[in-house]
């Protein structure tokens, strides 16, 4: 679709690992390069013109990125990435109000980033964690989650799109059904560059994502916070840039998102993500979605037709994105990935930071392909050729000693 | 180097071999090892009597390279003294990580091609690190990271 916008793809590389991190288009690299070279200075603290100009660009980047997901820039907080964002919510929002009798509801398919911080705060306050199981179809219904929610539930944390199956979870319907006393945190890391996201429409309290999965720079992400929760958020880290006044022990934090952002922010990262958001908007999320769905359908039918020993997880009902995880009977994903690499095909093998799900499904690891804006039919063909080679190599040896 | 040379017959045979799978009975030394990057896990047991390695066995899940390396290790170390096993450990480590290893390590030389795939070296060393820790009674969980 836009392969020519990515200098990394000038050669033969077939990159099918966008779910881990997206490659960078030249337009994003140029924006960050230009900003660093000509417009860079620290923000919100300098009296000189260069600092003012950088601050304006930084503030504009916040607006652009917030609007990209329908969020209010006044409640759109820069963080180091989705992981840092969830830690901010767990420690800065939930922990101070979490009591021993409370519970947190997670699903078994969560990425470790949307799993470990909740267990941390639950352990610290003696609260319990309830885990919604997920079958091999990857489907979670609103009713599945609600079964685990009761009067003591403080938080439901769920990914918008699974990083294993690409299943799009029914966030809007869930938020409509959750009782008023339950907060909802949505991990949007796998969603934001692939489906149109409007956090107001979803109705969640927190929505987090990482720039590097959105064709932006690594090391920056965001948390969009609902109106009812924003004033209840406390800084998870404290330091420069976020305060109105500081004394011996007492501190008054600034209003707005800056009050939750300690230290000099990743200024260039914000500029880069804004460039990525502008670029994605220009292409259009619906066009991207259609492109990736078409490739997903082709890949699924080719994989199912070509390989008898393959088992695909998910992709049975409901909506999915272009993430497909599978196992080939008797062949370890790591061996598959090495042979694919020889064919210039970059694909992920392993537990995908979802060990609880791997254990639940009783698989040691999975091979995953994930589509991005730059992929096309040729990538699928190359992957299939690579997988044929895997079968040849592993099929030629028959040991039974 | 092509992957077909990595997955040569000896490696494939050992990766699928059940000969050294299981637990030693009795077990005198035991250790678990992990490769966090890919989730490989190995449970290693050894029976060492009078400083002599009588048996080494392993259980676990992993790629062809890690399973083959474990199997080759069990075969190579049976009957050796602990000191001799330490020498083999060093030789294999050198085989996998440097170009200076010129010793003929017999069947273990099949592991040499892993060196051309640096991302996979940790798969090949997992069993060896785990055994080393078992022998030296290292209390820490073994990890290739």
């Amino acid at each position: 679709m836009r392969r020519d916008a990515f200098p990394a793809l000038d050669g033969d590389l077939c990159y099918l690992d966008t779910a881990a991190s997206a490659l960078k288009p030249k337009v994003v690299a140029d924006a960050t390069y230009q900003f660093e070279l000509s417009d860079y200075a620290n923000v919100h603290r300098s009296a000189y013109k260069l600092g003012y100009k950088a601050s304006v660009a930084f503030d504009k980047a916040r607006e652009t990125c917030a609007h990209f997901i329908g969020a209010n820039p006044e409640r759109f907080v820069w963080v180091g990435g989705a992981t840092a964002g969830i830690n901010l919510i767990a420690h800065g929002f939930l922990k101070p109000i979490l009591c021993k009798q409370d519970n947190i509801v997670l699903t078994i398919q969560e990425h470790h980033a949307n799993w470990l911080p909740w267990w941390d705060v639950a352990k610290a306050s003696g609260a319990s964690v309830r885990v919604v199981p997920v079958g091999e179809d990857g489907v979670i219904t609103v009713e599945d989650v609600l079964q685990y929610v009761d009067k003591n539930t403080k938080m439901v944390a769920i990914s918008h799109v699974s990083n294993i199956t690409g299943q799009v979870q029914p966030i809007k319907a869930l938020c409509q059904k959750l009782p008023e006393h339950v907060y909802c945190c949505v991990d949007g890391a796998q969603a934001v560059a692939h489906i149109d996201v409007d956090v107001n429409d979803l109705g969640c309290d927190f929505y987090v994502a990482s720039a590097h999965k959105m064709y932006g720079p690594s090391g920056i992400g965001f948390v969009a916070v609902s109106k009812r929760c924003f004033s209840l958020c406390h800084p998870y880290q404290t330091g420069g840039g976020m305060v109105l006044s500081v004394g011996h022990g007492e501190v008054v934090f600034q209003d707005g998102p800056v009050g939750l952002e300690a230290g000099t922010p990743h200024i260039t990262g914000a500029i880069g993500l804004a460039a990525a958001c502008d670029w994605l908007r220009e292409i259009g999320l619906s066009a991207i979605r259609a492109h990736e769905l078409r490739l997903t359908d082709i890949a699924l039918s080719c994989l199912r037709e070509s390989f008898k020993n393959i088992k695909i997880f998910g992709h049975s009902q409901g909506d999915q994105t272009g993430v497909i995880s599978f196992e080939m009977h008797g062949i370890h994903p790591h061996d598959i990935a090495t042979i694919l690499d020889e064919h210039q095909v970059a694909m992920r093998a392993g537990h995908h930071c979802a060990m609880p799900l791997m254990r639940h499904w009783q698989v040691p690891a999975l091979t995953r392909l994930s589509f991005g804006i730059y992929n096309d039919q040729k990538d699928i063909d190359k992957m299939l050729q690579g997988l044929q080679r895997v079968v040849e190599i592993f099929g030629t040896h028959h040991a039974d000693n | 180097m092509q992957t077909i040379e990595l997955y040569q017959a000896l490696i494939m045979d050992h990766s699928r071999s059940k000969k050294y799978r299981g637990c030693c009975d009795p077990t005198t030394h035991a250790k678990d090892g992990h490769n966090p990057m890919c989730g490989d896990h190995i449970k290693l047991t050894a029976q060492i009597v009078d400083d002599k390695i009588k048996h080494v066995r392993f259980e676990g899940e992993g790629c062809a390279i890690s399973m083959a390396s474990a199997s080759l290790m069990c075969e190579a170390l049976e009957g050796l003294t602990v000191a001799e096993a330490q020498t083999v450990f060093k030789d294999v480590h050198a085989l996998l990580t440097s170009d200076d290893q010129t010793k003929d390590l017999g069947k273990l030389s099949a592991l040499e091609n892993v060196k051309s795939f640096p991302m996979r070296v940790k798969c090949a060393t997992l069993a060896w690190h785990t055994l080393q820790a078992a022998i030296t009674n290292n209390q820490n969980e073994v990890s290739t990271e």
Side-chain angles (χ1 to χ4, degrees), chain A residues 330-332 334-336 338-339 341-342 348-351 355 364-365 389 393-401, chain B residues 1-4 6-9 12-13 16-18 36-40 61-65 117 119-120 123:
Chain A
I331 311 176
H332 194 276
H334 230 174
D335 297 313
I336 294 172
T338 293
I339 296 168
D341 186 41
E342 187 172 56
R348 177 89 183 269
H351 51 68
M355 282 191 190
R389 185 66 181 144
I393 289 177
F394 275 76
T396 52
H397 301 280
H398 298 285
D400 195 21
N401 47 340
Chain B
M1 181 174 292
Q2 294 199 321
T3 50
I4 191 72
L6 175 68
Y7 296 106
Q8 55 182 282
M12 299 301 281
D13 289 351
R16 289 166 175 169
S17 169
K18 302 284 178 232
M37 195 183 98
C38 52
D40 286 356
E61 301 251 27
C63 61
I65 304 300
F117 298 85
M119 293 85 76
R120 306 300 303 277
C123 306

Side-chain angles (χ1 to χ4, degrees), chain B residues 40-71:
Chain B
D40 286 356
H41 173 242
I42 194 169
K43 203 176 188 60
L44 205 116
T45 56
Q47 191 185 115
I48 303 176
V49 181
D50 297 332
D51 202 42
K52 199 155 202 169
I53 298 171
K54 292 189 79 171
H55 301 290
V56 186
R57 294 285 183 273
F58 72 99
E59 288 176 336
E61 301 251 27
C63 61
I65 304 300
S66 68
M67 295 296 104
S69 184
S71 179

